[in-house]
Amino acid sequence: ELTITKVDRGTILFREGEEANKFYFIYSGSLSVQKMNGRSGLSQRIGFLYPGDYFGEMAVINESKRLATITAETDSILLEITRDKFYKCFQETPWLIAEFIVRMKGKGVDLQSLLHYKKSMGVFINFLGSHDAKHLIDFCNAANSFYDQFDEMDSDAALQMAMDISKKYFGNDDTDNEKSISKDISEFAREAIASGVIPKDTFCIAEQKVKQIMENEMLPSFKKTDEFKSLMERMRAYDEMDVQLLA
């Protein structure tokens, strides 16, 4: 599927404005990214790419022209894939599409995309922990586990698992505390457990509401942190490279 290509220092892989039909991974070496400055009309270096990075995907996906010029700064080894093989590659490597989506959205990344990529999810979970809010993501994971395992459990096992989740994350019926899911959010699940009739979607409503809290309250705060900025820089997210290439 992949073609190994060796390029010498100074080689221009492609120029801004050219047609695109290949996508690249860097195995070794380093490359620079240049973008035409609309005011001066001169090419301006805006970033570098290193082993483990990939480039050229946006033009391939959108069937548009190249959005920047890429030049080998050192002798480099690249893995290249043509457009017709590109989608199959992503289908077979879901972690890659998860990383790509976070990188593409940059500062505008949404909660779902952030949580689908292991590295960004880890940074966000650390942030939640530092703000006494890790129980929110832990509850969502428990709710997902309940849903996934439901069809394999009998009614007694489902009830017991639901009760365990309720005890751990909902607190008691009389009081809420800052590390429990509030009664207004967990009402449907509490009623189902109290009735003894446990549907597969027992925790779905509560999970959706908790994710809304993380999306609307926790995520905006996370995006203001140095940890988020560092994550975007390490991933070379598009808006951090000043390649607002989709505009």
Side-chain angles (χ1 to χ4, degrees):
E1 299 291 343
L2 297 174
T3 300
I4 299 175
T5 301
K6 296 180 179 180
V7 295
D8 297 329
R9 177 183 179 183
T11 299
I12 297 176
L13 270 295
F14 50 75
R15 297 181 184 276
E16 182 179 356
E18 290 182 347
E19 298 294 333
N21 63 359
K22 292 180 181 178
F23 164 66
Y24 299 87
F25 296 89
I26 303 175
Y27 179 77
S28 67
S30 64
L31 299 94
S32 62
V33 183
Q34 298 98 36
K35 181 77 175 167
M36 190 67 67
N37 187 307
R39 295 181 179 178
S40 67
L42 300 176
S43 181
Q44 179 180 357
R45 181 180 294 162
I46 58 173
F48 291 91
L49 300 168
Y50 301 100
D53 288 335
Y54 55 88
F55 60 94
E57 70 279 12
M58 286 308 303
V60 171
I61 289 175
N62 294 334
E63 298 186 7
S64 59
K65 297 183 184 298
R66 293 296 186 187
L67 302 169
T69 298
I70 304 294
T71 304
E73 293 294 314
T74 65
D75 293 345
S76 303
I77 297 177
L78 309 176
L79 305 178
E80 65 178 48
I81 184 169
T82 57
R83 177 181 284 124
D84 59 331
K85 304 294 184 182
F86 178 78
Y87 294 100
K88 183 178 180 181
C89 175
F90 273 119
Q91 290 172 354
E92 294 176 350
T93 52
W95 64 267
L96 185 60
I97 189 62
E99 177 186 358
F100 165 67
I101 290 173
V102 174
R103 184 183 178 207
M104 180 181 67
K105 291 185 176 180
K107 291 179 180 179
V109 65
D110 58 277
L111 180 68
Q112 182 175 350
S113 299
L114 195 76
L115 296 180
H116 279 176
Y117 180 47
K118 185 176 181 180
K119 291 182 179 179
S120 58
M121 177 180 67
V123 177
F124 183 63
I125 288 176
N126 288 339
F127 167 80
L128 293 177
S130 67
H131 289 72
D132 293 326
K134 187 174 179 292
H135 63 287
L136 298 177
I137 190 69
D138 289 342
F139 166 70
C140 290
N141 290 335
N144 279 328
S145 294
F146 178 84
Y147 188 89
D148 291 341
Q149 297 175 38
F150 184 85
D151 292 336
E152 299 176 359
M153 295 188 290
D154 59 29
S155 58
D156 290 338
L159 177 59
Q160 184 60 55
M161 186 174 183
M163 292 173 62
D164 290 343
I165 293 173
S166 176
K167 181 179 180 180
K168 184 172 184 179
Y169 296 105
F170 294 167
N172 59 52
D173 292 330
D174 298 323
T175 60
D176 287 326
N177 64 66
E178 61 182 14
K179 289 191 176 182
S180 66
I181 307 301
S182 64
K183 289 194 287 291
D184 61 322
I185 291 177
S186 59
E187 180 180 6
F188 176 83
R190 289 173 184 265
E191 291 178 353
I193 294 170
S195 73
V197 180
I198 307 298
K200 186 174 183 178
D201 64 350
T202 295
F203 297 103
C204 288
I205 294 176
E207 181 189 2
Q208 291 171 2
K209 291 181 177 179
V210 168
K211 284 185 175 179
Q212 287 175 357
I213 292 173
M214 289 194 289
E215 181 90 52
N216 298 331
E217 299 178 16
M218 305 307 299
L219 185 59
S221 297
F222 173 58
K223 289 182 177 181
K224 296 177 182 178
T225 64
D226 290 338
E227 289 76 13
F228 179 75
K229 181 179 179 180
S230 177
L231 173 68
M232 294 294 100
E233 289 175 346
R234 292 197 306 271
M235 294 184 67
R236 294 185 176 80
Y238 290 113
D239 48 9
E240 284 301 319
M241 290 175 61
D242 196 29
V243 190
Q244 310 239 336
L245 301 178
L246 300 182

